[in-house]
Amino acid sequence: MSPGYLTGGLGITYAPAKWFSLFISPSSGRFTFVLDKKLSDLGAFGVDKGKKMHAAFGPYIRADLNKDLSKTINLSTTAEFFTDYIEKFGNIDVNWSLLLTMKVNKWLAASIATQLIYDDAVMIKTSPTDEPGPRTQFKELLGIGLTYKFK
């Protein structure tokens, strides 16, 4: 849990279709945990130096989409947005993940996963001489696998 995030709040869920939902909460708590002592002492992930947790209060929005694009292709994506009412209101933290799965044939399946994160409390150095600062983080994974159905 370095970092670990916990978000909870009161809000409303709008689900116009089985494959889409939108949760909106004007009053959410977001907790960031940094249990690693070395990272905690550095003040990583927006936690005060030497502390193990940072609490924030603000609006939170989460959109989920899980849809079959065809018989063999599924798209699943989640986008989360949060801003703190007290510190830097309007500076939005973003966490967006996407998973595209494809059944190529009877034996072969493929998947592509991506995740985009922006959090201004996470300081990243791009080179040894560069000053650390907030940056957009991006991760992508490609998976290819054999499938077999046991009867």
Side-chain angles (χ1 to χ4, degrees):
M1 293 243 315
S2 290
Y5 297 100
L6 175 66
T7 304
L10 299 172
I12 188 165
T13 300
Y14 172 65
K18 287 175 79 173
W19 49 269
F20 177 76
S21 68
L22 178 69
F23 175 73
I24 300 173
S25 172
S27 60
S28 293
R30 180 175 182 198
F31 303 91
T32 305
F33 300 94
V34 179
L35 302 182
D36 182 273
K37 182 169 175 25
K38 184 177 177 182
L39 291 172
S40 172
D41 289 345
L42 290 172
F45 305 104
V47 174
D48 292 334
K49 290 182 179 185
K51 302 284 184 181
K52 299 206 179 282
M53 185 187 78
H54 174 75
F57 178 73
Y60 171 76
I61 297 173
R62 177 183 170 127
D64 292 295
L65 182 137
N66 189 344
K67 181 136 177 83
D68 289 329
L69 303 178
S70 72
K71 271 177 110 172
T72 58
I73 300 174
N74 177 270
L75 174 69
S76 178
T77 185
T78 299
E80 298 176 293
F81 306 94
F82 178 84
T83 186
D84 191 348
Y85 279 130
I86 300 164
E87 297 175 22
K88 298 181 184 176
F89 181 74
N91 193 357
I92 299 171
D93 296 340
V94 178
N95 187 352
W96 177 30
S97 62
L98 181 133
L99 175 63
L100 184 66
T101 55
M102 298 161 277
K103 185 174 180 182
V104 177
N105 60 31
K106 182 175 160 180
W107 300 95
L108 192 63
S111 64
I112 298 170
T114 63
Q115 185 175 19
L116 180 140
I117 298 174
Y118 177 80
D119 184 344
D120 73 314
V122 178
M123 298 298 157
I124 299 170
K125 275 185 109 168
T126 55
S127 73
T129 59
D130 199 12
E131 284 293 316
R135 308 273 197 274
T136 301
Q137 302 171 68
F138 188 75
K139 173 175 72 173
E140 61 184 81
L141 299 166
L142 173 64
I144 299 173
L146 298 174
T147 61
Y148 181 75
K149 191 181 267 187
F150 293 97
K151 293 183 180 184

